[in-house]
Amino acid sequence: MRFLLLLLALGPFILAYATENDTATATPDKPDSIPAISPPYNFNDAIEPGLQENLNATSNYLVFLPAGQMPEYCMTEAKESGYGPADIQAFEVHYDDCHIPWVMCRLGTSKVDACTMAEFFGKMPLSMREFVRHVIVLKPQDLHGAAAISYGDNIQVSEDSWRLYILAHEMSHSLDSHVSIPGVTQPDQGGLSISQTWKLQFSQDSATVTEYARTLWSEDLAETGILALYDTIVPGGATTLSNNSHSVYHQYTTYQKYYGDIITPGKKSNCTSRLPDSNMVIWDDSGSRVAPSEYHPKAKVGVTVISPGIFHNRTCILPP
């Protein structure tokens, strides 16, 4: 069953998440026993600038793919929005810290260009990027009123909503889905947000990071992930954002305890694991077909393929 929940308004921000989950332990209770922090954190004017100033870009170069060649994921999203093969630009982003490129896509007329996509994505810590398959930027109307949609570790973003904190939220869902924590999650499974450890730490706080964090344990963790990343990289940390940050202390420090090495820039200098890419296809006026093997991304030599996570998440971010 797929539950579509709404998240993050771009004013006071409310993040939301939907999950299709047949394997994770059921958690009928919600993190709604405490209120959201007040006044709310300012995501656009405080958190986003802090992330931009303190996350360094990773050196990269782009390789643009021939017209009509793209990941199957990009073709599917483009078709759903009524576009044709000539409308989509696909490109590889080769970063200095990973010998396997990420294949990204954008609507050719989008105001977010390929270089900006590569720069922003490359600012995120490597160990967070490893849990993303593809990124595509489309027009606002293509997302049916949402600012961003994450599905199966692919991220679709409206050109008006290209933000680092949005990437941090979406990547936090993927960490929650995939990262196994000995003694906390089930062996070889993710699920920190539904663990008793997370709930115990939550019970020691007097607020959540946002109002929407009160709706699901997975949302509480993902919202907290933005603050945890900010606190990790920005001098002075979370206390510079609000005098009441102590009210969410146990949540963001628990996130840091278990994902700290993942979200800390420079902790990892080369990629060691990646999610498998979507099939590469050739899409033209005659239809679509799987591209010949020489057009597929190179084999991930020396890189462990990340196995499926316990959540199959779909997340929407709505504007005000």
Side-chain angles (χ1 to χ4, degrees):
M1 181 180 296
R2 180 175 300 167
F3 302 94
L4 184 61
L5 302 173
L6 305 179
L7 41 127
L8 190 65
L10 297 175
F13 301 94
I14 298 177
L15 289 170
Y17 161 62
T19 163
E20 180 180 342
N21 175 17
D22 295 326
T23 59
T25 303
T27 54
D29 52 328
K30 296 179 180 180
D32 59 0
S33 59
I34 53 178
I37 193 170
S38 182
Y41 288 119
N42 188 326
F43 281 75
N44 272 344
D45 297 329
I47 290 179
E48 181 67 13
L51 297 179
Q52 289 286 357
E53 292 168 10
N54 292 279
L55 285 171
N56 296 322
T58 304
S59 296
N60 66 81
Y61 67 91
L62 308 183
V63 175
F64 290 90
L65 302 182
Q69 181 180 322
M70 66 191 71
E72 186 175 19
Y73 163 76
C74 293
M75 179 187 71
T76 299
E77 296 302 327
K79 281 184 173 181
E80 288 184 358
S81 297
Y83 296 117
D87 298 316
I88 302 299
Q89 181 184 68
F91 53 96
E92 295 178 342
V93 186
H94 296 252
Y95 292 102
D96 283 358
D97 55 11
C98 191
H99 63 286
I100 306 298
W102 277 265
V103 185
M104 303 183 188
C105 305
R106 59 182 291 275
L107 187 65
T109 57
S110 170
K111 61 187 179 184
V112 180
D113 61 38
C115 292
T116 301
M117 290 179 65
E119 178 189 0
F120 275 48
F121 188 76
K123 280 175 171 277
M124 300 302 292
L126 173 59
S127 292
M128 298 185 79
R129 282 183 272 138
E130 287 181 325
F131 289 93
V132 176
R133 300 177 193 274
H134 305 292
V135 180
I136 185 171
V137 171
L138 296 172
K139 294 289 186 180
Q141 60 267 26
D142 301 323
L143 280 71
H144 309 291
I149 297 173
S150 175
Y151 183 64
D153 304 302
N154 298 295
I155 301 175
Q156 180 183 165
V157 186
S158 160
E159 65 177 1
D160 292 338
S161 307
W162 188 248
R163 307 278 196 279
L164 289 177
Y165 69 80
I166 289 177
L167 293 178
H169 175 90
E170 305 300 354
M171 292 177 181
S172 290
H173 280 309
S174 290
L175 298 186
D176 188 24
S177 179
H178 291 280
V179 176
S180 175
I181 303 170
V184 176
T185 66
Q186 293 295 315
D188 301 318
Q189 292 187 2
L192 174 60
S193 68
I194 57 175
S195 70
Q196 292 304 310
T197 297
W198 183 265
K199 294 177 182 179
L200 175 62
Q201 295 303 314
F202 172 90
S203 70
Q204 298 182 63
D205 283 340
S206 58
T208 60
V209 173
T210 65
E211 182 64 35
Y212 202 84
R214 303 176 68 240
T215 61
L216 284 174
W217 290 111
S218 55
E219 284 308 319
D220 182 55
L221 182 140
E223 295 276 37
T224 300
I226 300 172
L227 185 64
L229 178 62
Y230 184 96
D231 184 74
T232 298
I233 66 165
V234 177
T239 58
T240 65
L241 295 170
S242 170
N243 291 331
N244 296 326
S245 286
H246 60 87
S247 64
V248 296
Y249 175 82
H250 291 90
Q251 291 162 87
Y252 74 79
T253 56
T254 298
Y255 186 106
Q256 291 170 328
K257 176 179 179 179
Y258 294 114
Y259 297 151
D261 286 348
I262 296 175
I263 68 172
T264 301
K267 277 285 187 178
K268 193 174 193 179
S269 58
N270 292 287
C271 60
T272 57
S273 59
R274 288 282 297 276
L275 288 161
D277 292 322
S278 173
N279 287 330
M280 187 67 70
V281 299
I282 295 176
W283 181 26
D284 54 32
D285 293 337
S286 64
S288 63
R289 57 197 181 278
V290 176
S293 59
E294 61 265 27
Y295 294 109
H296 288 253
K298 299 296 185 293
K300 293 176 170 59
V301 177
V303 174
T304 301
V305 176
I306 299 173
S307 59
I310 67 167
F311 300 124
H312 195 50
N313 42 24
R314 187 176 184 95
T315 303
C316 294
I317 302 174
L318 298 184

